[in-house]
Amino acid sequence: MNLSAEKKNLANLGLKTLKFSEVSKLRDKRGTYTLVIFIDSSLSLEIGGLGTANLDAGYYTYTGSAMGRGSSSLAGRISRHLRGAKKKRWHIDYLLSNAKSEIEAVLALPSRRRLECEVNQHIIKLLRPEVPILGFGASDCISGCKSHLLYFRVEDNLLSKIAEVYLHRRENDVFALLKDEAWSPHHD
């Protein structure tokens, strides 16, 4: 992903951009987020109750919600995803703990409403990704999502395309968090 080109596209769309190290600016906010994850080579992954899954290299997104305070706020949830060392609690923890995966960017939409399924379904409808693992991140979904993990192979302007989905759902500003130059995926 060409982050400098994406940063220009995001600015043209009117998003507020932050570095990963600035995630604390979202500490008092609740809402929905989408992680943009790059896997550099194929991998086989044991994912709790879902069993073993094989994932191809390319870009993936994971959409979730953070409707609480503190560690359950947008800043708390996104910070947890960015940390390398953590107890494997959710499906996404199994993927993010693998050294072949790296979060490239995060989109965040502060909202009082839980919009993760709506955003996820619109990403599917508009961008037509593959569903790599049925049920991933969607075990409590009541909206019929097959998965909250989506696969895009290599996609030009993926972040900007997803940002447009967010802009159509927004109640407030939409934030894009971009990887810092010095940040590493397994940084604590």
Side-chain angles (χ1 to χ4, degrees):
M1 177 179 304
N2 182 339
L3 286 179
S4 61
E6 285 283 27
K7 192 172 185 177
K8 288 179 186 176
N9 293 340
L10 296 171
N12 289 337
L13 291 170
L15 272 74
K16 296 188 178 227
T17 58
L18 303 170
K19 296 177 184 177
F20 283 177
S21 60
E22 298 176 299
V23 70
S24 65
K25 291 182 179 181
L26 300 176
R27 76 175 159 270
D28 297 326
K29 303 197 182 306
R30 302 171 186 189
T32 298
Y33 62 90
T34 297
L35 308 176
V36 178
I37 304 160
F38 181 68
I39 295 178
D40 65 6
S41 60
S42 298
L43 61 90
S44 181
L45 195 62
E46 185 69 33
I47 306 169
L50 293 178
T52 302
N54 296 313
L55 297 175
D56 292 329
Y59 285 95
Y60 291 77
T61 62
Y62 172 79
T63 301
S65 63
M67 302 307 293
R69 298 178 194 272
S71 65
S72 295
S73 69
L74 277 171
R77 194 61 56 86
I78 293 167
S79 293
R80 184 179 196 285
H81 292 317
L82 293 174
R83 275 197 328 261
K86 61 184 155 260
K87 182 177 180 182
K88 292 177 180 137
R89 179 176 178 186
W90 295 298
H91 295 147
I92 190 65
D93 295 338
Y94 293 88
L95 174 57
L96 296 178
S97 67
N98 188 290
K100 292 183 179 182
S101 71
E102 182 173 358
I103 299 173
E104 296 277 322
V106 182
L107 288 167
L109 173 63
S111 175
R112 292 186 184 129
R113 297 184 306 133
R114 183 181 294 271
L115 298 170
E116 72 181 285
C117 293
E118 184 179 331
V119 167
N120 189 58
Q121 289 172 0
H122 279 90
I123 291 170
I124 293 168
K125 181 179 178 183
L126 296 173
L127 302 180
R128 303 200 181 278
E130 294 177 32
V131 172
I133 305 169
L134 288 175
F136 190 103
S139 54
D140 61 349
C141 180
I142 57 170
S143 299
C145 294
K146 293 180 181 178
S147 178
H148 282 218
L149 182 71
L150 305 174
Y151 176 54
F152 293 88
R153 297 188 189 280
V154 175
E155 181 72 35
D156 290 335
N157 303 315
L158 177 60
L159 189 59
S160 301
K161 291 174 184 176
I162 296 170
E164 290 180 19
V165 171
Y166 270 73
L167 288 169
H168 285 81
R169 303 289 170 274
R170 75 173 163 182
E171 298 171 2
N172 296 302
D173 291 326
V174 177
F175 294 86
L177 290 92
L178 305 175
K179 183 172 55 174
D180 296 59
E181 294 294 325
W183 183 84
S184 75
H186 300 283
H187 164 70
D188 287 327

